[in-house]
Amino acid sequence: MDALKCDLLIVGGGAAGLRAAVAAVGVQPDLDIVVVSKVYPMRSHTVSAEGGTAAVLRDYDSHDLHCFDTIRGSDYLADQDAVELFVDTAPKEVLQLEHWGCPWSRDRDGRISVRAFGGMSVKRTVFASDKTGFHMLHSLFQHSLRFARIRRFDEWFVTSLLVDDGKCVGVTGLDLATGRIQPILAKSVMLCTGGGGKIFPFTTNGNIKTGDGMAMAYRAGAPLKDMEFVQYHPTGLPGTGILITEASRGEGGYLFNREGERFLERYIPGKMELGPRDILSRAIISERQAGRAFEDRHGEYVHLDLTHLGEKVINEKLPFVRELASKYVGIDPVYQPIPVRPVVHYMMGGVSTANDGSTPLEGLYAAGEVACVTINGANRLGSNSLTECLVFGGFAGEAAARHAQSTGLVDSGRVRAAARKEEQRIEQGFLHREDGTERISGLRGEMQTAMEKGCGVYRTRDSLLETTRELAELRERFADVRIDDRGKVFNTDLVAALELDFMLDVARCIAGAALTREESRGAQARVDFPERDDEQFLHHQLSLISEEGPRLETQPVTITRWAPEERKY
Amino acid sequence: MNKIDITVIRYDPENSPAPFEQTYTIPYDDEMVVLDGLNYIKDHVDGSLSYRWSCRMGVCGSCGMMVNGEAKLTCAVFLKDYPQGVQVGPLDHFPVIRDLVIEMDDFMDKLRAVKPWMIREQEKPVEEGEYLQSPEELQLFRQFSMCINCALCYAACPVYAADQTFIGPAAIALAHRYDMDSREEGQDQRAKVIGSHEGIWECSFVGECSVVCPKHVDPAAAIQRSKVQLTKDHILGMLWPWGKS
Ligand SMILES: Cc1cc2nc3c(=O)[nH]c(=O)nc-3n(C[C@H](O)[C@H](O)[C@H](O)COP(=O)(O)OP(=O)(O)OC[C@H]3O[C@@H](n4cnc5c(N)ncnc54)[C@H](O)[C@@H]3O)c2cc1C
Ligand code: FES
């Protein structure tokens, strides 16, 4: 079994991974950097981000205000030192990306434009029309092409982390084109694998967002943090879950119920459509429960009305919204309101990291949606996460590069044996087994339903116990999974099985952490514990692997200058 | 539910040397895109069918295929528009790895060849702020920055069909995107890459690339404009061989 080798191995070519790679070149221009990604980098789901990326660029804005908005939005679960660092570094990162060619939208005077976004007190969200993630990703990718030292393993699926003597020393990767499984050894390994919306049935996330990095870190013994917090975005298209960006409300769109009321008046009159996502998503569900929603075969929904903005604004600022609504639900937002409903969007939780992206597992770093620093706490503010990818992708890339400078490659018999064992797990457990009966799609569908039902917007002890039981049963049945495809070349059936394997672990962590947090905070809404309880729960929860499933530990929240108070808007 | 026949042109290099057709009859409704049909097959009928996809919202560029002979993003065309049934094949003009999965290496190399990054004689430090750019200046290249790298234009390009060394529509559009950017100073370097090959002169005004482009990038316009620019540079170069300007 040949081993591939490099200094720094970055798993993931989205905004975080590419930013990290470029940052690492800055530390040492001849560092041997490999970016491995299960899809070509420009397919990473960063590409789908629409609305914008936050940074303090205007005189009317301030460091403290962005910090406060983020911390209040997080329902006081963000680590305030991380937030301060984030807010401090954000403007430089946004400008840096401008220098690398990103086509930010501009004001008349040539400066980078900003728009309003949910939970942000002032206009501070930088954007590139309503294809911000697309432009950021392509700009970063194109910029990365100038560095010959950034090698890419495109369409390699990483299946596990290799750990030796308490250190992460590489990964095992499946080269999709050939079907070969090989160790890739590295002095530092960094996870930038994104989130896991596909654990739920109805999501804005693409097919590739299956929580791989979280599961791999968890299996390798690194703790996951704050896994209970899953963000629902208030405005997805019914049926497909395609996102209608918050920028549509930032530009002035209204939400209406069936009775023609701007119903947010009842829930968050101070902010209305510009309230944070957790509150708006729950407001829509309350309207549904009160019988004031519309209904069709895709279920209940409300209206997002942009008609008063006029064709010119929509074409200039929200052309992608117009394209998506017209194509996928046959509604032209210039003339008709868009049907929308809450949809799983983002994972606040992830691999627990320090501010430099390091994890408790030596040699392992993480950044982007897979990581949990955390600036997001119990609820992320829209447009903070693209910036998070830049800021912490950059820091983590530098730290991982410096770590690689200070340590040697571990290529021992033990490591090779571990890699061979992983190869056998995949070949014998999936490819060559004859007796499986469970279809991947069947198990996946049942997992998604179990999560939505018991671990969705509203949760109770009973619903969470039921989901946990169902997940345990699905895990057992997964041992009997069958894959139709026995080939080596581009076996997407095998990939789907491995992704489901990862998702089942991450789902367990989400449900487990939601069960022990007996309070409501941010995105966690416990019907049986409707109040926030700072006395008992102003802490993070870490999920660690054990025989019986995730074992939970607590970790204090770092508070610098903003004492927790009631979250009022 | 209505039923539809989806015929897939498959290729399995490990078991048969030649491509073959396989027809699946599946239920569908008005909201299903062609990609949903493939996913239905994979989930419920035949898990061995291989193809790429991710976003299902026409922006990641993964899911380009030939649909009844035309290059399409399969997440952006609806089954209901093919009531007689639909044939899905891998994108034309590319080597096939497996089923509907084509080899992208050549395409990726071509993107890189045009140096798609900011080239400046002097970099301004980030601390000094952004390069100012008016909305009008942005407008000059915006359209050419919308390419999602789906490669449909290569599948439609008659010049690329005849000669795969042609740098091709998406790469030229990308070069043009940077050339037209007011912050840029690398035009000469890119002109060398684009002008170094006959291909660009063979490109007719057919503009198949722009017809199939799902994002209205209009690579044909980029190619025609590049030609004009190259011709101007060439003539100026002959008149003043010691350098233009
Ligand atoms: C529809 C939508 C709109 C959004 N809009 C906004 C917005 O306007 N503003 C904002 O701030 N945020 C937004 N977000 C959130 C934000 O886009 C994401 O959190 C962010 O882009 C994540 O980037 P990332 O680099 O962490 O991961 P991703 O971009 O998801 O990249 C993950 C990478 O990891 C690779 N990978 C994963 N698993 C493996 C494996 N097993 N082996 C090898 N490679 C692997 C993938 O190939 C990919 O390259 C939006 C999200 C969605 C879904
Ligand atoms: S799946 Fe992303 S473009 Fe079709």
Side-chain angles (χ1 to χ4, degrees):
Chain A
M1 185 178 231
D2 291 342
L4 299 156
K5 293 173 187 174
C6 63
D7 294 325
L8 167 59
L9 179 79
I10 298 172
V11 188
L18 293 173
R19 181 67 190 90
V22 174
V25 176
V27 171
Q28 185 186 324
D30 66 348
L31 200 71
D32 183 12
I33 302 163
V34 167
V35 174
V36 25
S37 172
K38 65 180 174 178
V39 293
Y40 281 94
M42 67 278 186
R43 319 289 188 215
S44 305
H45 207 56
T46 293
V47 80
S48 70
E50 301 169 20
T53 195
V56 175
L57 291 181
R58 289 286 189 270
D59 293 341
Y60 59 70
D61 200 357
S62 74
H63 169 91
D64 279 14
L65 194 55
H66 191 187
C67 287
F68 175 66
D69 286 344
T70 303
I71 291 162
R72 178 170 60 164
S74 81
D75 221 347
Y76 293 90
L77 207 67
D79 286 312
Q80 298 184 3
D81 58 336
V83 174
E84 294 211 44
L85 183 64
F86 163 76
V87 168
D88 234 16
T89 318
K92 188 190 120 248
E93 285 294 331
V94 164
L95 293 174
Q96 178 67 79
L97 210 57
E98 194 274 335
H99 285 225
W100 292 341
C102 189
W104 297 128
S105 293
R106 304 285 180 149
D107 285 353
R108 294 241 51 84
D109 62 5
R111 288 187 308 163
I112 297 172
S113 297
V114 287
R115 66 166 35 135
F117 236 69
M120 302 282 185
S121 317
V122 295
K123 289 189 181 177
R124 71 162 68 95
T125 297
V126 172
F127 57 99
S129 182
D130 57 354
K131 288 205 169 167
T132 306
F134 165 82
H135 286 299
M136 286 175 62
L137 183 65
H138 280 254
S139 301
L140 274 168
F141 178 62
Q142 288 157 14
H143 179 71
S144 79
L145 291 175
R146 74 194 302 159
F147 303 107
R149 292 303 285 176
I150 303 179
R151 292 192 283 153
R152 292 201 328 271
F153 293 5
D154 294 332
E155 300 195 320
W156 277 64
F157 185 91
V158 173
T159 70
S160 75
L161 302 181
L162 291 168
V163 178
D164 188 64
D165 203 14
K167 270 172 60 174
C168 184
V169 297
V171 305
T172 50
L174 167 69
D175 176 6
L176 296 183
T178 62
R180 230 184 8 239
I181 295 165
Q182 266 180 293
I184 312 174
L185 304 177
K187 297 172 185 168
S188 303
V189 175
M190 184 167 166
L191 293 170
C192 297
T193 49
K198 281 286 164 188
I199 294 167
F200 290 82
F202 188 66
T203 176
T204 61
N205 285 194
N207 185 46
I208 54 177
K209 296 200 71 171
T210 47
D212 306 4
M214 297 180 191
M216 287 190 277
Y218 173 70
R219 289 176 186 181
L224 305 184
K225 182 159 75 197
D226 294 345
M227 292 301 285
E228 59 273 40
F229 300 107
V230 176
Q231 179 164 80
Y232 279 75
H233 193 294
T235 62
L237 291 180
T240 58
I242 290 173
L243 179 78
I244 299 300
T245 172
E246 191 162 298
S248 52
R249 283 171 283 125
E251 296 296 340
Y254 297 142
L255 286 169
F256 287 106
N257 64 15
R258 191 160 54 101
E259 280 154 22
E261 297 170 299
R262 277 179 73 195
F263 57 89
L264 292 171
E265 194 73 58
R266 260 195 285 283
Y267 307 91
I268 181 163
K271 283 258 172 194
M272 295 298 287
E273 280 79 4
L274 291 178
R277 293 176 177 173
D278 53 340
I279 297 178
L280 262 53
S281 291
R282 284 196 289 272
I284 293 173
I285 290 175
S286 299
E287 289 299 295
R288 289 206 308 224
Q289 286 165 346
R292 289 190 291 263
F294 303 88
E295 188 164 9
D296 70 5
R297 67 194 190 85
H298 294 304
E300 293 177 294
Y301 60 90
V302 295
H303 274 159
L304 171 62
D305 191 356
L306 309 181
T307 54
H308 56 286
L309 301 182
E311 187 163 7
K312 187 162 173 292
V313 170
I314 292 177
N315 283 348
E316 257 170 41
K317 299 276 179 67
L318 304 165
F320 196 34
V321 165
R322 190 173 188 190
E323 179 188 326
L324 291 170
S326 305
K327 174 147 253 148
Y328 293 104
V329 288
I331 295 256
D332 184 344
V334 172
Y335 306 105
Q336 292 160 285
I338 311 170
V340 291
R341 56 163 282 196
V343 54
V344 167
H345 187 55
Y346 182 85
M347 293 187 61
M348 270 71 76
V351 181
S352 180
T353 73
N355 290 348
D356 67 352
S358 61
T359 72
L361 179 60
E362 196 195 328
L364 183 68
Y365 294 75
E369 194 172 339
V370 68
C372 183
V373 175
T374 170
I375 63 157
N376 301 311
N379 175 61
R380 164 181 79 103
L381 290 191
S383 77
N384 265 355
S385 67
L386 287 171
T387 311
E388 177 180 354
C389 289
L390 298 176
V391 169
F392 291 102
F395 285 137
E398 283 171 9
R402 279 194 298 269
H403 178 266
Q405 289 175 320
S406 71
T407 185
L409 210 65
V410 178
D411 183 7
S412 63
R414 247 194 341 225
V415 173
R416 298 287 179 125
R420 243 186 324 273
K421 207 166 135 207
E422 173 67 1
E423 182 184 43
Q424 279 165 5
R425 177 182 80 96
I426 290 167
E427 290 187 342
Q428 283 157 22
F430 298 100
L431 272 182
H432 301 325
R433 63 176 296 173
E434 294 299 331
D435 53 343
T437 55
E438 295 280 357
R439 278 202 84 78
I440 297 169
S441 61
L443 294 174
R444 189 172 54 213
E446 287 185 49
M447 169 193 68
Q448 291 168 337
T449 310
M451 288 302 282
E452 167 106 326
K453 217 171 61 204
C455 195
V457 173
Y458 287 106
R459 302 158 173 187
T460 66
R461 184 180 146 80
D462 289 345
S463 76
L464 290 165
L465 284 173
E466 176 60 14
T467 295
T468 307
R469 195 193 56 70
E470 286 174 309
L471 290 173
E473 186 195 303
L474 287 166
R475 171 49 79 194
E476 269 173 36
R477 284 167 55 198
F478 182 78
D480 197 26
V481 74
R482 85 169 253 117
I483 64 172
D484 291 348
D485 194 343
R486 301 303 159 108
K488 277 198 152 300
V489 177
F490 225 92
N491 188 333
T492 49
D493 209 21
L494 173 61
V495 168
L498 295 170
E499 287 173 337
L500 175 58
D501 195 351
F502 287 145
M503 287 193 286
L504 284 168
D505 279 3
V506 179
R508 271 295 282 276
C509 293
I510 297 173
L515 182 64
T516 48
R517 183 174 287 282
E518 296 188 326
E519 64 158 354
S520 292
R521 182 189 297 269
Q524 156 105 332
R526 286 282 300 256
V527 178
D528 42 357
F529 298 96
E531 301 300 326
R532 194 175 92 190
D533 180 355
D534 283 350
E535 208 128 287
Q536 289 198 71
F537 292 105
L538 185 61
H539 57 227
H540 303 296
Q541 296 197 98
L542 301 180
S543 306
L544 288 140
I545 193 163
S546 81
E547 292 275 319
E548 300 82 49
R551 176 172 62 79
L552 285 144
E553 283 180 7
T554 64
Q555 179 178 302
V557 177
T558 306
I559 305 222
T560 57
R561 294 194 281 137
W562 293 271
E565 51 185 51
E566 193 193 341
R567 184 168 168 235
K568 275 204 306 262
Y569 286 99
Chain B
M1 243 188 181
N2 291 328
K3 301 234 165 191
I4 190 168
D5 285 344
I6 300 186
T7 301
V8 184
I9 302 176
R10 302 195 61 178
Y11 173 57
D12 178 3
E14 290 164 274
N15 290 305
S16 76
F20 57 99
E21 284 190 0
Q22 191 162 350
T23 299
Y24 304 90
T25 306
I26 62 153
Y28 80 105
D29 63 31
D30 281 0
E31 291 174 9
M32 279 172 74
V33 292
V34 171
L35 176 64
D36 294 333
L38 297 177
N39 283 339
Y40 184 92
I41 295 168
K42 184 156 192 84
D43 284 352
H44 302 287
V45 187
D46 181 353
S48 74
L49 185 65
S50 288
Y51 49 95
R52 295 184 176 111
W53 72 289
S54 176
C55 71
R56 202 206 170 275
M57 57 191 280
V59 71
C60 77
S62 310
C63 70
M65 299 170 206
M66 303 307 291
V67 178
N68 282 2
E70 290 176 62
K72 296 280 185 196
L73 284 184
T74 50
C75 72
V77 285
F78 288 79
L79 285 172
K80 69 170 189 287
D81 295 329
Y82 302 94
Q84 309 302 319
V86 61
Q87 188 204 53
V88 185
L91 281 183
D92 281 353
H93 311 154
F94 290 92
V96 179
I97 298 177
R98 167 94 188 262
D99 289 345
L100 301 164
V101 179
I102 53 154
E103 205 183 293
M104 297 282 297
D105 294 357
D106 182 50
F107 178 84
M108 297 300 287
D109 289 345
K110 287 182 163 143
L111 290 187
R112 181 161 193 279
V114 301
K115 305 194 175 184
W117 49 78
M118 292 277 281
I119 299 173
R120 291 185 60 89
E121 271 168 31
Q122 278 212 313
E123 295 258 358
K124 164 164 129 176
V126 172
E127 293 68 40
E128 289 174 22
E130 69 257 61
Y131 295 104
L132 296 181
Q133 182 166 66
S134 70
E136 291 73 27
E137 286 170 327
L138 172 64
Q139 205 51 35
L140 285 178
F141 71 91
R142 210 177 96 79
Q143 175 182 22
F144 301 105
S145 73
M146 302 299 270
C147 172
I148 61 173
N149 301 166
C150 63
L152 300 195
C153 52
Y154 287 67
C157 174
V159 182
Y160 187 67
D163 174 4
Q164 312 250 311
T165 60
F166 175 41
I167 188 116
I172 295 176
L174 182 60
H176 199 60
R177 170 255 174 272
Y178 279 92
D179 284 351
M180 298 300 289
D181 190 322
S182 58
R183 300 167 288 183
E184 250 294 313
E185 293 167 350
Q187 287 83 354
D188 290 355
Q189 296 187 34
R190 289 188 202 98
K192 272 191 217 122
V193 181
I194 293 173
S196 69
H197 187 271
E198 303 295 298
I200 188 162
W201 307 107
E202 286 159 28
C203 168
S204 63
F205 286 92
V206 185
E208 282 303 328
C209 49
S210 294
V211 175
V212 299
C213 178
K215 297 289 138 182
H216 314 293
V217 173
D218 202 358
I223 294 173
Q224 297 317 324
R225 291 214 232 152
S226 302
K227 277 191 202 175
V228 173
Q229 194 55 44
L230 287 168
T231 314
K232 267 205 308 223
D233 288 353
H234 182 65
I235 293 171
L236 288 173
M238 286 199 303
L239 291 178
W240 294 285
W242 52 89
K244 57 189 166 102
S245 87

